[in-house]
Structures are given as C-alpha cells and as structure tokens.
Amino acid sequence: MSTKSILKKSSITFLEQYLNNASPTGFEAEGQKLWMEYLKPYVDTFITDTYGTAVGVINPDAPYKVVIEGHADEISWYVNYITDDGLIYVIRNGGSDHQIAPSKRVNIHTKKGIVKGVFGWPAIHTRKGEKEETPKISNIFIDLGCETKEEVDKMGVHVGCVVTYPDEFMILNDNKFVCRAIDNRMGGFMIAEVARLLHENKVKLPFGLYITNSVQEEVGLRGAEMITKTIKPNVAIVTDVCHDSTTPMIDKKVEGETKIGKGPVVTYAPAVQNNLRELILDTAEEKKIPFQRLASSRVTGTDTDAFAYSNGGVASALISLPLRYMHTTVEMVHRDDVENVIKLIYETLLKLENNETYSYFK
C-alpha cells in the first residue's frame, strides 16, 4: 500500500467537515454523529454509551478484542460569571490557553443557537507602566456587544454555556493541515481511515476490532475510562498528538525531540506494554514507515493510561502524531505524518495475532 494513495479527496472533505464542527468536552454528540455516519459503511455495528463515546465494531462476536482509539473532544470555555454591564468571565473546560484569548472571536453555544462574541482586551495605548499585565483567567472577558446582564440573558447566554473558537480548517504550503481541535479529532479521523482501508482492501481480521472515539479525554481520560470497562479489550492501540519540540521556546532537554514531517511517534512509558510496542516498531521497520521515539516519565497523559490500567491490565501502546502549537487555534500537522500513522496502525493490525497475550513470561 503506497502512502500517497491513503487519503482520498472524500477523506479530506470529511476531515474538514469533522474539524470545523465544534465538539467541546462534554458536548461531543454532534461530532460523534458525523463520525459515525462516515464510519457506517466500514463497520458491522456501533456501541455508544451514556456520555457519548462512540465505537464502530468489526466482528462483534469475536472473543478476542482489539481497540484502536482516538478522542473526540476539544478544549473550550464555560461561561462562569456575567457582570451587570453584560461582560462575561470564563473558566476552563479542559486545558484552554488564556494567553491566546485576547482579540479572539468566540461562539457561545446556547439552546437558541450560536451567539457570537469576542474576547476583549485593553488597547496598547492604555497599558502604561513598566510591567504590562499578561492575559490570565482573572482578566480575560467576553464582550457580546450587550450593555446589561438582562440583554445577555435575552440572547440565551447563561452560566454553564460552553464557548468555542470558530477557527476553521486550512492547508498551508500544500501539506500542512491547520485547525483548532486537531488535538485530537485527527485521531478519530485516522482510526476511521484505518477502518476504510480494511474494508476497501477486503481484509478479514481474525479478532474483533473496536474503532473507539472516546469523549472527555481533555478533563482526565474519562471517556476511555468508561468505555474500556464496557468493551473489556485484550489490546488497545491509542493515537493522540504530541509536541513538535523544534519550534521556538521549547526545551528539547525537557520535551524530547520530535518534529512534524518525520513520522509517527512511538512512546516509551510504564503504561506502554513493551512487547506490543516492539511489534509496532518491527512493523514500521519492515514496512519502511518512518518513526520517531518519545519517552514519558510516569504517565503518557493520553487515553493509553486509562486503557492500560483497566480490567486487570490491557496490553496498550501509543502511536502519536507530532503537532505544532497544541491547544491553540492554529494546531498544525504534516499530511505525511497523518498518512503514516494510518499506515502504521493498519499494518500493525495485519500483524496482530489472534489470542496473543503479550506475556513477558512465555
């Protein structure tokens, strides 16, 4: 399978639609519906749970179960306090970056539909003194163009409404995908593409495959924690994003060195099962898929941790997509890496043996 042939025009059309749709943590359902509709021709059935995790299943009756997983949610804000003169203060829903907020346009999601607003900021002319105030949760605020709290109420905006950025998908220099929420809607897209390739290449897997798009990763891996108890998998291959540490102001001695365009990133961490990881690395070498390595100290900070430590221990591994500018509205990945992550997961599935335990004690 040549890398060049992986992403079809229809794939990119879906990717754009999927990224542009807002799916903030706790409110992922509309995005999940789009994802399931795309996945429908390639799977036998679906599982969904109370909080909105969606799973496309191939061979649902097979006793041995393999998960490939991404997460569906994006960071956002909650409306937290509305002043008498109609300004809105926010709290985080996930790891939203206060420093990028000033002068950003926002969408506030209400029962009446989307209400537009902006994060205001005092003009440079008015910021006197030696030390300028930097943006922080206590001083960033949203302006809806209202003069009173009553006007805000009439628009349907209240405490607890979720706030997202409207920034949409674009392609830079032919091969860089840029958008908010690439972390980790790109993961959901990549596992869906694996399912499409299995279908188009008429692959018959000997085990059950659970293509899992988990909710609520950004607030503590919560969706994965729930769904792994439902599926009870034997193996989990998780895909998420990691940092391109070659951009300015990042310390490689702390973050390691990974770069967009250099291939999927395979993680070493306590939660990563060594035999499963080595199978992935052997697959990459055999199929000449470029890859990079990354070490995580105690936790991976991804859904890998939730799967690994569930159900008495599930053999788990992490294949990451290097990304620039995480948790901003201009997250950037390389098309080649996207295709190579898809290819690496696909080729690994073809090498996975039914009923393999990955035991260290054979």
Side-chain angles (χ1 to χ4, degrees):
M1 181 177 57
S2 102
T3 302
K4 292 297 170 203
S5 67
I6 287 180
L7 294 186
K8 296 161 78 167
K9 195 174 175 193
S10 55
S11 306
I12 303 296
T13 302
F14 166 64
L15 175 62
E16 181 165 4
Q17 180 193 25
Y18 186 47
L19 281 171
N20 288 351
N21 175 79
S23 286
T25 300
F27 301 85
E28 301 93 344
E30 291 311 307
Q32 295 288 57
K33 288 173 192 171
L34 290 174
W35 183 80
M36 290 165 77
E37 189 59 35
Y38 182 73
L39 199 60
K40 203 174 185 178
Y42 313 129
V43 298
D44 297 322
T45 188
F46 283 98
I47 299 168
T48 54
D49 73 6
T50 311
Y51 280 86
T53 290
V55 186
V57 188
I58 297 170
N59 302 338
D61 297 328
Y64 190 79
K65 300 173 184 180
V66 176
V67 160
I68 56 173
E69 194 258 11
H71 72 82
D73 56 317
E74 65 183 284
I75 54 169
S76 56
W77 302 100
Y78 281 121
V79 173
N80 187 48
Y81 170 64
I82 304 165
T83 69
D84 291 341
D85 50 1
L87 297 175
I88 292 171
Y89 286 83
V90 294
I91 54 171
R92 291 187 177 92
N93 183 18
S96 302
D97 188 345
H98 51 280
Q99 292 210 7
I100 69 160
S103 87
K104 290 296 298 177
R105 298 171 191 224
V106 297
N107 288 337
I108 303 185
H109 299 260
T110 78
K111 284 182 182 169
K112 297 181 180 179
I114 290 203
V115 173
K116 297 282 185 183
V118 297
F119 271 111
W121 194 244
I124 190 170
H125 319 66
T126 67
R127 305 199 307 264
K128 308 290 186 198
E130 291 291 304
K131 196 160 187 272
E132 286 195 296
E133 269 218 70
T134 56
K136 45 186 182 275
I137 287 282
S138 58
N139 66 15
I140 59 174
F141 61 91
I142 293 170
D143 189 336
L144 302 185
C146 294
E147 290 175 38
T148 64
K149 187 175 190 294
E150 288 69 36
E151 275 187 82
V152 174
D153 289 340
K154 277 185 192 150
M155 294 172 101
V157 174
H158 53 73
V159 169
C161 282
V162 73
V163 183
T164 60
Y165 295 118
D167 300 68
E168 296 197 332
F169 179 76
M170 67 175 175
I171 297 176
L172 282 185
N173 194 24
D174 292 333
N175 59 13
K176 311 300 186 309
F177 297 152
V178 176
C179 198
R180 38 149 268 295
I182 284 177
D183 172 13
N184 182 34
R185 244 154 7 264
M186 193 62 81
F189 169 74
M190 292 187 299
I191 58 176
E193 289 297 279
V194 171
R196 176 179 66 78
L197 291 173
L198 290 168
H199 177 82
E200 288 176 358
N201 295 328
K202 298 183 170 53
V203 173
K204 297 286 182 217
L205 295 170
F207 45 75
L209 184 65
Y210 291 71
I211 301 114
T212 303
N213 210 5
S214 299
V215 297
Q216 299 197 25
E217 186 273 350
E218 296 290 357
V219 291
L221 324 181
R222 295 309 193 188
E225 182 185 340
M226 290 183 268
I227 200 66
T228 185
K229 290 172 184 168
T230 303
I231 298 170
K232 296 187 169 57
N234 299 90
V235 179
I237 297 172
V238 173
T239 184
D240 206 326
V241 293
C242 65
H243 303 290
D244 177 336
S245 62
T246 68
T247 56
M249 298 187 288
I250 296 177
D251 186 348
K252 292 179 198 158
K253 293 192 291 295
V254 175
E255 299 293 342
E257 182 167 2
T258 45
K259 184 175 184 177
I260 65 169
K262 299 285 187 185
V265 178
V266 178
T267 294
Y268 290 69
V272 173
Q273 214 278 348
N274 297 330
N275 291 334
L276 180 59
R277 184 196 59 244
E278 290 307 305
L279 175 74
I280 291 167
L281 291 172
D282 290 347
T283 304
E285 285 175 348
E286 183 187 316
K287 298 295 176 183
K288 298 186 168 44
I289 301 168
F291 66 88
Q292 306 174 77
R293 290 183 169 96
L294 183 67
S296 288
S297 181
R298 288 174 66 85
V299 295
T300 70
T302 72
D303 283 337
T304 315
D305 303 333
F307 280 96
Y309 302 131
S310 72
N311 302 297
V314 173
S316 301
L318 175 59
I319 300 173
S320 298
L321 177 70
L323 172 140
R324 290 183 166 182
Y325 321 123
M326 198 181 294
H327 287 205
T328 72
T329 56
V330 291
E331 294 182 335
M332 180 190 297
V333 295
H334 199 301
R335 179 184 175 127
D336 290 354
D337 294 336
V338 171
E339 295 194 319
N340 279 316
V341 169
I342 294 165
K343 190 175 179 185
L344 184 53
I345 295 172
Y346 175 89
E347 296 290 355
T348 300
L349 290 177
L350 300 190
K351 284 179 78 79
L352 282 186
E353 290 184 22
N354 199 23
N355 299 320
E356 175 59 64
T357 64
Y358 298 97
S359 170
Y360 298 132
F361 306 106
K362 287 183 179 173

